[in-house]
Amino acid sequence: MKRIGWVFALAVVAGCGKEAGRVAFSSDGTGAATMTLKAGDVDFWTDIDLSYEGNAALAYRVTLEQGGKSVATTVCDPLARLNVKTMWTETNVGASHSRHGMGKMSCTVTLPSGGATEVHATLAWSAKPSSVTLKKADLVVKQ
C-alpha cells in the first residue's frame, strides 16, 4: 500500500512540469519575460509572499506572443484554491490573510507551436484590501 502512495505522489510531482521561466513581481503592475516553450499545454503557477486585511481579488492577465503576434491569453487567480502547492503556508484568521509558497493556478493555455515566446503579464487588484504587504507574486511558467 505504501508503494502505491509513493507512486501516486511521484506522478503528481512529475505532472507539474518543469519551470520554463517567470515574470517577477514585487508589486502590482506589468512585466514580461522571453522563454523557449514547446508546442502544447503551458501551465501557470504563482510564487507568492503576501499578507492582507479584508477582502481581496487579484489576477494575472497573461498574453503569450510569438513573432510579435498574440498566440494565447488567459487570466489567472493567485488567491483562488490551488490544487497543487509546494512549500505552502496559508493563514486566514478573521479579516487577516496570508499566503506564502508556490501553487499551480487553474489556468492553462495551449501553444500552437514551439519556440521563443514572450510572456507579458499584468498583476492587478480588482478589489484591493484595506491593507496589504506584497513581497513577491512571481508568475511561474511551466511545461
Side-chain angles (χ1 to χ4, degrees), residues 26-72:
S26 58
S27 65
D28 52 346
T30 60
T34 301
M35 55 198 76
T36 301
L37 298 175
K38 299 177 272 187
D41 289 344
V42 179
D43 295 323
F44 298 97
W45 289 58
T46 186
D47 185 358
I48 197 163
D49 188 353
L50 163 76
S51 59
Y52 61 95
E53 295 282 330
N55 295 323
L58 183 63
Y60 298 99
R61 297 193 188 294
V62 183
T63 301
L64 277 62
E65 294 181 2
Q66 292 178 329
K69 296 181 181 176
S70 175
V71 293

Side-chain angles (χ1 to χ4, degrees), residues 79-103:
L79 301 181
R81 185 170 186 273
L82 307 173
N83 291 325
V84 180
K85 302 171 197 162
T86 60
M87 303 296 290
W88 188 262
T89 57
E90 179 175 337
T91 59
N92 297 293
V93 179
S96 298
H97 309 279
S98 71
R99 311 278 188 277
H100 176 79
M102 282 188 63

